[in-house]
Amino acid sequence: MTDIILFYFLATMTVLTGVGVVMSENPLFSALYLVLSMTGVAGLFFLLQAPFVGAVQILVYAGAVMVLFVLVIMLIDINKSGEKYIGGNAAALFKGLAIGIFSGLVSAVVLRSPIVAKPALSNGSYTVLEIAKVLFTKYVLAFELLGIILLVIPIGVVALSRIKGGTHER
Amino acid sequence: MSVDVLTAGHYLILSAILFCLGLTGVLLRRNIIVMLMSIELMLNAVNLAFVTFSYFNQNIDGQIMVLFVMAVAAAEAAVGLAIAVSLYKKFKDLNISLFEHLRG
C-alpha cells in the first residue's frame, strides 16, 4: 500500500513540475522545475528497485547537467528574449494536432501490450557489482565508444565557443 | 491495470505522459534553452520506461542502457548549450528562428 501512495505522490510531482518546465516564462524557473522533475524520476527509480541508477540520476542530472544549464542562463540576459511561444495559430494548431496523434498512438500501444497487467515482484535490487559485471563484459565495446564520445565532446565544445561572429570567420 | 496494485502500466503511462510533455515543449517553445530542457525531459521519460522494463522483466540490461543514455544526454546538453552561447554572442537573443540567419 505504501508504494502505491509513494508512486502517486512522485508521479503527480513529476508531471506537475514537467508542466512547469514547459510553461514557465522565465528559463531559470524552468531549470529549477526540471531539478524537481529529475528528483521525482530518481525517486521512481528507487521505487523500481534500481538504487544505483537513481543515485546516478541525482548526481548527473540534478547535479552536473543542471549546473550547466543554470550557468548558461547566468551568461545570457533572460529578460531581453522576445517571443516565448511559437507564432501563428495555424502552426500551433498543426503542432497540437501532431502531439495529440502521437500521444494517442503511444497510449494505445501501452494499453494494448500484455506487459501492462504485470504486477510488481518482490525481489531484491541488483547490486552495483552485478551491474558492473554486465557493463564491463557484455557492453564493454559500447562503454569504450562512450569514452571516445566523452573525449570528442569537450574538444567540440571548446572549438564552438572559440568561434567569433559568423560560421566562416575566425 | 488495476487500482490497488502497482503494475507496469502505471509506470509506462507516466513515462508516456512525460514524453509527450517534453515533445510539447520542444514543438511549442521558442527559447533554445527551454527546448533543450524539454529534450532532457523526454530522455528522462525514456529512462523511466527502460528501468520499468528492466524491473518487470527481471533483466539487468535496461539499467545499463539508462547509464548510456545519461552519458549521451549530458554530452548533448553540453554541445547544445555551447551552440546557444555562440548564437547569443552573435544575435544577443536565444530565439530559435534566428537559426535561419546562420547560413554562410
Side-chain angles (χ1 to χ4, degrees):
Chain A
M1 197 60 213
T2 342
D3 54 344
I4 297 176
I5 298 168
L6 212 55
F7 172 80
Y8 280 111
F9 171 72
L10 288 171
T12 316
M13 174 180 134
T14 312
V15 171
L16 286 183
T17 51
V19 172
V21 172
V22 175
M23 290 297 164
S24 288
E25 301 269 298
N26 191 331
L28 190 59
F29 288 160
S30 288
L32 296 179
Y33 278 128
L34 191 58
V35 174
L36 280 178
S37 189
M38 302 282 185
T39 316
V41 174
L44 288 167
F45 288 166
F46 282 111
L47 207 57
L48 282 168
Q49 308 282 335
F52 180 67
V53 177
V56 171
Q57 166 95 359
I58 291 180
L59 283 174
V60 173
Y61 268 125
V65 174
M66 290 324 298
V67 168
L68 207 64
F69 272 109
V70 174
L71 267 174
V72 170
I73 291 171
M74 189 191 77
L75 283 177
I76 63 168
D77 186 4
I78 39 178
N79 293 321
K80 258 181 61 185
S81 54
E83 332 154 75
K84 308 285 195 294
Y85 297 96
I86 49 138
N89 285 330
L93 180 72
F94 279 116
K95 283 174 178 176
L97 212 63
I99 294 163
I101 289 171
F102 182 77
S103 46
L105 254 166
V106 170
S107 37
V109 168
V110 168
L111 289 175
R112 276 157 196 269
S113 71
I115 196 176
V116 162
K118 216 170 180 178
L121 307 145
S122 56
N123 62 318
S125 57
Y126 290 110
T127 60
V128 180
L129 181 67
E130 285 170 305
I131 294 174
K133 271 181 182 162
V134 180
L135 183 62
F136 291 120
T137 52
K138 192 175 171 187
Y139 291 102
V140 69
L141 184 67
F143 186 78
E144 300 289 342
L145 286 175
L146 204 62
I148 294 173
I149 287 181
L150 290 179
L151 174 69
V152 170
I153 292 293
I155 298 171
V157 169
V158 170
L160 255 178
S161 54
R162 282 174 65 88
I163 293 173
K164 296 189 182 68
T167 46
H168 285 231
E169 295 168 40
R170 275 288 128 203
Chain B
M1 245 176 79
S2 55
V3 186
D4 55 336
V5 65
L6 273 183
T7 60
H10 286 82
Y11 291 100
L12 290 178
I13 285 175
L14 174 64
S15 165
I17 290 172
L18 275 180
F19 191 88
C20 293
L21 213 55
L23 186 70
T24 316
V26 171
L27 287 180
L28 293 184
R29 291 302 298 258
R30 304 208 78 154
N31 192 312
I32 297 166
I33 292 185
V34 178
M35 290 174 81
L36 279 170
M37 284 188 223
S38 303
I39 291 174
E40 298 290 328
L41 211 59
M42 289 163 82
L43 286 165
N44 247 316
V46 173
N47 282 350
L48 185 60
F50 266 130
V51 175
T52 304
F53 284 123
S54 160
Y55 175 61
F56 285 96
N57 286 332
Q58 293 296 297
N59 192 339
I60 202 169
D61 292 358
Q63 296 193 21
I64 309 278
M65 279 307 145
V66 170
L67 296 179
F68 287 140
V69 170
M70 275 180 189
V72 174
E76 167 258 322
V79 175
L81 287 171
I83 293 173
V85 167
S86 59
L87 196 75
Y88 185 77
K89 274 199 294 194
K90 188 165 159 74
F91 295 110
K92 299 289 171 223
D93 199 0
L94 277 178
N95 202 309
I96 192 70
S97 58
L98 292 174
F99 270 116
E100 65 195 44
H101 301 299
L102 275 185
R103 65 178 93 92

